Structures are given as structure tokens and as C-alpha cells.
Amino acid sequence: MGSFSLCTSKISIIIITILLLSFHQSYSQPIQSTHLLDLIIRDYTIRNFKLNLNTGTPQKIHLPSNFSGIEIDTVKLRCGSLRRYGARIGEFHIGSGVTVKPCPERVMLVRQNLGSNWSSIYSTGYNLTGYNYQLVSPVLGLLAYNANPDGVATNPFEVNVSGTDQNPILIDFLNNKASGNTNPSTSPKTITKNSSVLCACFTSNGNTTFSDQVSPYVCKGTRQGHYALVMTIEARRKDDDSGDGGMVTSSTEVSGGGGRLSRWKVVVGSVIGSGIGAILLGMLVVAMLVKVKKKAEREEMERRAYEEEALQVSMVGHVRAPTAPGTRTLPITADDRYKNSHLIN
């Protein structure tokens, strides 16, 4: 009986080892399905989500080393607040008035930045070369799932977040506030002048839609999904030959309510700096005026003192010469002393 249980335990260990090896091997092999990659990211996000975080607090999710190059950020929001006020997570700005279907009590937003390594699965999976396009930016994804008030849902399902042309979802590929990177490898001049650069939206049904940028490096979408900047292959070759080509990089920032903060900070800082500069310039001008006035007063006092103490001038022959009043004692001779003493006696 003991030998039978020992044999059974050994067989169980061998089966578990084989399953673990096959699981690790499947994760180590390159993933070619974009839907499978979304499911893996979703599972890791749910597994590593911190339940003690408050609603609206962003969290960065760290993937295993075999998914290096992918940046994941998530935030849990109230569904009603998301519809009324919108949200900002990374490069995605969800405007107010979006539609959330279905609308659970909590919604978990997952932002993806696939980087230069993993973005290629969208290039091959959606056959961009067949459209004569190449990626010039990482593929950015925004997906929404249901969440419980006390944590993430045990049975997660995808929630559809959609906007309109008047209240769209904006994707800013130059959102680098978190990393401090302000020098993308592709210059805005190239993107602005080259009309062949378009926004690509990769839908879940396998189609790709292209649209113009609303402004340099900014795309507009009407629903959640994956977006990227693309350029025709011929134009990309020309930019690479001229040294202007490259891939636009982006980084993470998460906030609720939407809206840019950097512009008004720059304006306030400029106003404060201009005010301080004007005050310092005014103080310098006042100091110079006071110095000039004191110098003039000193010269006037010296001039008056010189005029009051000036010597009298009289003619000595044909020459004008200064003369002093007769204040010295006159010399007395011996005869004068004798006469003075005789008069006294």
C-alpha cells in the first residue's frame, strides 16, 4: 500500500513538472497573436493589482523578463466618474461624455506601450506592408475591464469605452512628462510636413483604419483599442536616408479628469519670471537714479563751498592777483617801542 502511494506521488510530480515546462515553453516562444498578448497582459495586471490602492490611484505593472520592452499602467475608476469627467492615463486622454457599455460600478483601465520590440506583431498580424505602410511609433493600447469595489473581478470581461467626433479619445504620442524625455527621435518638423504619416487604428476584428493626425503626434479615436503612427515605405526610406527618420517614443502619466497641466505651468512660470525680472530691472534703474542725484548734489555743494571761500582779486600793476585781508600783526621797530613806553610813563 505504501509503495502504491509512493508511486502515485511520483507520477503526480512528473505530470506537474511536464505541465510547468510546457507552460514556460509556450510563454518563452514568440507570441504572434495580438489577442493572446492582450489576455496575457490582462491576467498579469489582475494578478499583480494592489487591492489596497484607492480608486483613481495609478499603478505600474511589471511583466516578466520575456516581455521586456512592454510598459503597462492601470487605474481603477468609478464608471459614473469616467463617463462624466473622463480620465487621463499615459498617452490616452478620454474626454468627458464617453459611453461605457456595460457600466459596472468600477472600471479598470489598462494602458499598453508595446515598445519597438513587441509592436512588430501588429505590423505582421495586420499586414501593414500590404498597405505599403511601416510603423514610426510604438503601438499604444487602451483596454477596459470590469472591476469590483474591493478589488478586481474574478471573472473579468472587456468593457467598451467609446466616444464621438465631438468628444473623442485623443492619443498624444509625445506625452513624455514622466520620464522627462523631451527629444523624440523623429522631429515634429518631419511629421508636420510629411502628409504620408497617418494614424492607424487596429480594430479587434482584424481590420486597420487610417486617418489624419489632428495635430503633430496626436491622433483621434472614437473607441478603445490599439493605435500607432505609420508612414509609407517610400517616405520612410527617404527620411532614413536624410537622417530625419526614427521611431517616436512615449512614456507614462496617469491622472483622472483629463487635461494638460504642463501648458498652464509654463504660462504661470513665465509670468512669475517676467514679474521678478521687471522688479529687479526697476530696482536697478532706481539705484542708478539715486546715485546720479547724489553725485549732482555733492558737486553742487563743492561748487558753493569753493565760491564762498574764494580769495579777493586786486590789480598789482597790470596783473590780477588774489589778495587776503590784513589780519597779520604789523612789525614794530625799536623806535616805536621807545615811543610807546615813553607815552605810557
Side-chain angles (χ1 to χ4, degrees), residues 136-152:
V136 292
S137 75
V139 175
L140 305 178
L142 176 65
L143 298 177
Y145 303 95
N146 62 314
N148 296 329
D150 56 347
V152 295

Side-chain angles (χ1 to χ4, degrees), residues 153-167:
T154 55
N155 185 21
F157 55 85
E158 189 171 346
V159 177
N160 294 322
V161 179
S162 57
T164 61
D165 291 334
Q166 291 75 23
N167 298 314

Side-chain angles (χ1 to χ4, degrees), residues 24-98:
H24 178 73
Q25 185 178 5
S26 64
Y27 269 64
S28 300
Q29 291 177 352
I31 298 175
Q32 299 299 331
S33 173
T34 58
H35 180 64
L36 178 59
L37 180 61
D38 290 338
L39 293 179
I40 294 174
I41 292 175
R42 183 199 65 180
D43 294 342
Y44 270 105
T45 302
I46 293 175
R47 191 182 309 168
N48 295 280
F49 190 85
K50 296 180 181 178
L51 301 180
N52 58 348
L53 291 179
N54 296 327
T55 300
T57 303
Q59 178 185 349
K60 180 176 285 295
I61 303 299
H62 299 283
L63 299 179
S65 59
N66 53 339
F67 293 98
S68 61
I70 300 179
E71 296 180 2
I72 303 298
D73 295 276
T74 182
V75 63
K76 183 175 65 175
L77 301 171
R78 292 180 180 270
C79 182
S81 299
L82 178 60
R83 291 190 302 178
R84 288 191 298 269
Y85 308 111
R88 181 77 176 265
I89 175 168
E91 301 83 359
F92 292 89
H93 178 199
I94 304 173
S96 58
V98 295

Side-chain angles (χ1 to χ4, degrees), residues 50-212:
K50 296 180 181 178
L51 301 180
N52 58 348
L53 291 179
N54 296 327
T55 300
T57 303
Q59 178 185 349
K60 180 176 285 295
I61 303 299
H62 299 283
L63 299 179
S65 59
N66 53 339
F67 293 98
S68 61
I70 300 179
E71 296 180 2
I72 303 298
D73 295 276
T74 182
V75 63
K76 183 175 65 175
L77 301 171
R78 292 180 180 270
C79 182
S81 299
L82 178 60
R83 291 190 302 178
R84 288 191 298 269
Y85 308 111
R88 181 77 176 265
I89 175 168
E91 301 83 359
F92 292 89
H93 178 199
I94 304 173
S96 58
V98 295
T99 303
V100 182
K101 291 182 180 181
C103 187
E105 186 175 353
R106 297 289 193 280
V107 176
M108 183 177 65
L109 298 178
V110 179
R111 168 261 184 189
Q112 305 175 4
N113 185 340
L114 301 185
S116 59
N117 296 330
W118 289 88
S119 296
S120 58
I121 67 173
Y122 278 84
S123 179
T124 56
Y126 285 80
N127 192 21
L128 282 182
T129 56
Y131 293 100
N132 197 29
Y133 282 107
Q134 284 186 345
L135 294 173
V136 292
S137 75
V139 175
L140 305 178
L142 176 65
L143 298 177
Y145 303 95
N146 62 314
N148 296 329
D150 56 347
V152 295
T154 55
N155 185 21
F157 55 85
E158 189 171 346
V159 177
N160 294 322
V161 179
S162 57
T164 61
D165 291 334
Q166 291 75 23
N167 298 314
I169 299 175
L170 298 178
I171 306 97
D172 186 0
F173 287 86
L174 282 189
N175 181 22
N176 299 311
K177 300 181 185 68
S179 63
N181 180 17
T182 58
N183 296 317
S185 56
T186 303
S187 63
K189 186 185 298 184
T190 304
I191 296 295
T192 305
K193 290 185 176 181
N194 200 330
S195 59
S196 61
V197 176
L198 298 175
C199 299
C201 175
F202 305 100
T203 60
S204 57
N205 57 5
N207 295 328
T208 306
T209 58
F210 302 95
S211 61
D212 294 329

Side-chain angles (χ1 to χ4, degrees), residues 280-294:
L280 294 176
L281 182 61
M283 294 175 62
L284 179 62
V285 172
V286 171
M288 293 178 64
L289 293 176
V290 170
K291 184 177 180 180
V292 171
K293 185 177 180 181
K294 287 184 177 181

